Amino acid sequence: MTAHPKHDSSRLLRTRRLLIALAAAPWAAALQSDEDDRLYDRVHRKLNNDRSLRIRNLRVEVNAGVVTINGVVRSERLKRKATRAASIKGVKRVVNRLAVGI
């Protein structure tokens, strides 16, 4: 029983694509991690350097270009300002988990 040549070539093509994708996956993850690190540095610095924000217990997380901000601010206005400040080039979305408190 012989396999159909067209079936074999399509299987070979799928196998090649899978191998290429698997080989590229670590590089893609490393590149994303590097970009996330750069975004973290820029966003964290921008939030820390804005004296009007005065975010207590500031925590910034970046995952695949999505920035999450945690901490405490004095008002809703400052919470919105923090979102705008974190919305820099390269950031896909800002998740603002800042609490408003004293």
Side-chain angles (χ1 to χ4, degrees), residues 7-20:
H7 178 71
D8 285 346
S9 66
S10 67
R11 185 184 320 169
L12 180 61
L13 184 59
R14 283 193 309 270
T15 303
R16 283 183 185 168
R17 286 181 181 155
L18 177 62
L19 289 173
I20 290 169

Side-chain angles (χ1 to χ4, degrees), residues 9-96:
S9 66
S10 67
R11 185 184 320 169
L12 180 61
L13 184 59
R14 283 193 309 270
T15 303
R16 283 183 185 168
R17 286 181 181 155
L18 177 62
L19 289 173
I20 290 169
L22 289 173
W27 288 102
L31 290 175
Q32 183 62 54
S33 178
D34 287 348
E35 180 61 22
D36 285 347
D37 289 345
R38 282 190 289 278
L39 286 174
Y40 170 86
D41 289 340
R42 291 173 45 214
V43 169
H44 196 271
R45 194 174 324 117
K46 190 166 182 182
L47 292 171
N48 264 333
N49 290 340
D50 189 330
R51 291 184 184 272
S52 70
L53 285 174
R54 295 186 184 132
I55 301 173
R56 293 192 316 271
N57 304 320
L58 173 64
R59 288 187 323 277
V60 176
E61 299 170 19
V62 182
N63 186 4
V66 177
V67 173
T68 303
I69 310 167
N70 292 287
V72 179
V73 292
R74 292 188 195 176
S75 68
E76 285 293 329
R77 182 185 67 78
L78 292 176
K79 185 174 178 176
R80 289 188 302 272
K81 184 176 181 179
T83 298
R84 286 190 305 273
S87 299
I88 61 174
K89 183 177 180 179
V91 171
K92 294 177 183 173
R93 185 168 56 101
V94 176
V95 177
N96 188 329

